[in-house]
Amino acid sequence: MKELLANDKNAASRAEACCSSSQVTMGGSAPQPLSIPMAQTQEDDTPCCGPKPGPPSSPFEKPGYRMWHFVSGFAETPVGAIPRIATTLKATDFAGTFRARLGICRDRYRVAPGLYSAGDPGAESPVLVTANYKLSFDSLRRELNSIDAWILVLDTRGVNVWCAAGKKTFSTEELIRQVNGVGLNRLVSHRELILPQLGAPGISAQAVKKGCGFKVIWGPIRASDLKTFLRNGRKAEGKMRQLTFSIAERILLIPVELSLIVKPSMIILLAVFFLSGIGPHIFSFSAAWFRGLNGAAAYILGVLAGAVVAPILLPWLPRRQFYIKGIWTGLVVGFIGVLSLGNDIGRLEFLALVLVSTAVSSYAAMNFTGATPFTSPSGVEKEMRQGIPIQIIAVAVATIAWVAAPFVN
Amino acid sequence: MQEFRYLENVTTLKLDEERCTGCGMCETVCPHTVFKVEKSKAYFADRDACIECGACTANCPVEAISVTPGVGCAAYIIQTWIKGRNAAVACC
Ligand code: SF4
Ligand code: SF4
């Protein structure tokens, strides 16, 4: 059995970072040299209490660290023991993906930055660079079966490559820091790094070359094209270099989009219930509740129309401006939805409710621009200058109509 | 990405053809095939597809390209209105 190396740089990669913050106990001091005795196998078969004990601890376990389930072993290298990762995903990975997609603990879903290995890499093997968002890491490693490679994970604060490049955490400086930090030049004989193309906004290839001597090779956008890329002499062309935004990709973004709306919605719904109570009797709690429910329904219909229906129907909705796409879905969903609320809704109230759905949907759809890979900030700004005034007017008219309705009837 | 087109004539992207050496880096890094290189010069193949991500400017070795990079996201832009461009944090 191997003993763990002292000062192993990648010890951190075995520490599991998860939603509960209590698990990572890195301690202040450097890891001490360890020699872990093999657990003695109990020869005598008389258990004193309960069933037989489980298997002994792995020799790679260290006090204060927790081993990731995807580490299948360690490769001895000139720069220390480097974790070897499994290239198939387990149930726990899928569960984590599922949670992250729903927006639960998404910002804590990360792996430790540093060096990993896949297969049995040597001095000639390619170095693939990625972000430390666990979904980015997983989508890379699942493509690496039968590939021998080094994987350099940058500390992007648990953000995917594209967004991290925009936020400049997937950056020239971080790349140089990691390359030097892990001692990459002592590990590989070549001087090339393969980066995902979507990292390009954050990385200057010339500056990387200057900073650490490694040449950046821009790999494909999607990890699934990586094998073809490596086979084709590291050339990515055509489709491999172009973004897509399929219906499946759009649907995957919806839950996170919704989870971001939940918080502000609470305050808005409170306001809706409050406004609904105002009437000839100054304030009526029963009106606040019963009319408020209708108001809340119109608001929620608007959210669904703008953050669910509009993204799904995106390419088929008329006009390029997202706020207009949201108006269509808000109008239709709002109209049908409010009709089905029943016929004790007056004309003025009907108008108010449909306006609310439409305005909310328009805003929510406009917000979806941030999740799409084909909108430019200049374009979004331009449409916001048109869209926001329209949304504000619609909400103002709706509020007046809603508050006035009980007085008119 | 041909099925998705966004607003036309809004991008801040500029190309200085004088400076361009035709290295092809912009063509490689752009995720929307905005550039093509022919006869040692880059030209716009599809300027309106530009999303102002800044990949080309960051990687052009002779600074022939300029663009105001940012994130095409409403919450981010509202921040730039309130706090100014430098204080806003990208939101995606
Ligand atoms: S990256 Fe710059 S120099 Fe190279 S082709 Fe593009 S514009 Fe020309
Ligand atoms: S800013 Fe981005 S999308 Fe626009 S041309 Fe440059 S690389 Fe292409």
Side-chain angles (χ1 to χ4, degrees), chain A residues 68-91:
Chain A
W68 273 100
H69 60 272
F70 55 71
V71 176
S72 62
F74 288 82
E76 284 300 341
T77 74
V79 297
I82 303 299
R84 183 180 301 122
I85 57 173
T87 55
T88 44
L89 303 192
K90 295 197 176 113

Side-chain angles (χ1 to χ4, degrees), chain A residues 148-383:
Chain A
D148 298 326
W150 303 106
I151 299 153
L152 188 63
V153 177
L154 304 192
D155 186 1
T156 60
R157 325 287 161 86
V159 172
N160 68 47
V161 172
W162 171 246
C163 294
K167 293 181 192 193
K168 305 288 180 273
T169 52
F170 192 93
S171 66
T172 307
E173 295 71 39
E174 169 62 8
L175 180 57
I176 295 172
R177 193 178 75 89
Q178 289 292 348
V179 165
N180 293 334
V182 303
L184 204 61
N185 56 357
R186 286 181 285 131
L187 180 72
V188 291
S189 54
H190 62 79
R191 290 293 175 265
E192 286 177 352
L193 303 164
I194 297 174
L195 269 71
Q197 186 192 331
L198 286 188
I203 303 256
S204 158
Q206 313 83 271
V208 171
K209 177 92 199 200
K210 230 181 254 164
C212 63
F214 278 79
K215 182 183 172 206
V216 170
I217 295 179
W218 295 109
I221 287 181
R222 284 162 292 270
S224 52
D225 288 328
L226 206 61
K227 265 192 191 147
T228 327
F229 171 81
L230 292 172
R231 226 185 296 122
N232 288 356
R234 302 185 179 179
K235 283 214 160 45
E237 267 149 8
K239 290 259 174 295
M240 271 195 216
R241 293 236 170 274
Q242 287 166 18
L243 278 163
T244 56
F245 203 39
S246 67
I247 190 158
E249 288 170 289
R250 299 201 295 278
I251 289 173
L252 275 181
L253 296 172
I254 290 172
V256 167
E257 207 62 23
L258 283 177
S259 72
L260 294 175
I261 296 178
V262 170
K263 228 191 198 169
S265 292
M266 294 300 153
I267 299 160
I268 293 170
L269 288 177
L270 264 181
V272 168
F273 281 107
F274 174 76
L275 285 176
S276 304
I278 300 172
H281 313 288
I282 301 175
F283 193 84
S284 144
F285 281 97
S286 83
W289 178 245
F290 289 107
R291 293 184 72 225
L293 281 181
N294 286 339
Y299 175 81
I300 291 167
L301 285 171
V303 168
L304 295 179
V308 179
V309 182
I312 293 175
L313 299 182
L314 204 60
W316 304 291
L317 291 167
R319 304 304 294 274
R320 293 182 180 177
Q321 291 91 333
F322 282 56
Y323 85 89
I324 300 183
K325 292 177 189 287
I327 287 179
W328 297 129
T329 55
L331 264 182
V332 174
V333 172
F335 197 84
I336 298 172
V338 176
L339 267 187
S340 64
L341 284 178
N343 31 13
D344 55 336
I345 295 175
R347 267 197 211 148
L348 209 51
E349 287 183 317
F350 191 91
L351 172 79
L353 293 176
V354 174
L355 272 179
V356 163
S357 295
T358 309
V360 170
S361 168
S362 173
Y363 184 80
M366 200 176 72
N367 240 324
F368 193 67
T369 52
T372 63
F374 67 98
T375 50
S376 61
S378 298
V380 177
E381 183 155 4
K382 186 177 173 191
E383 77 158 89

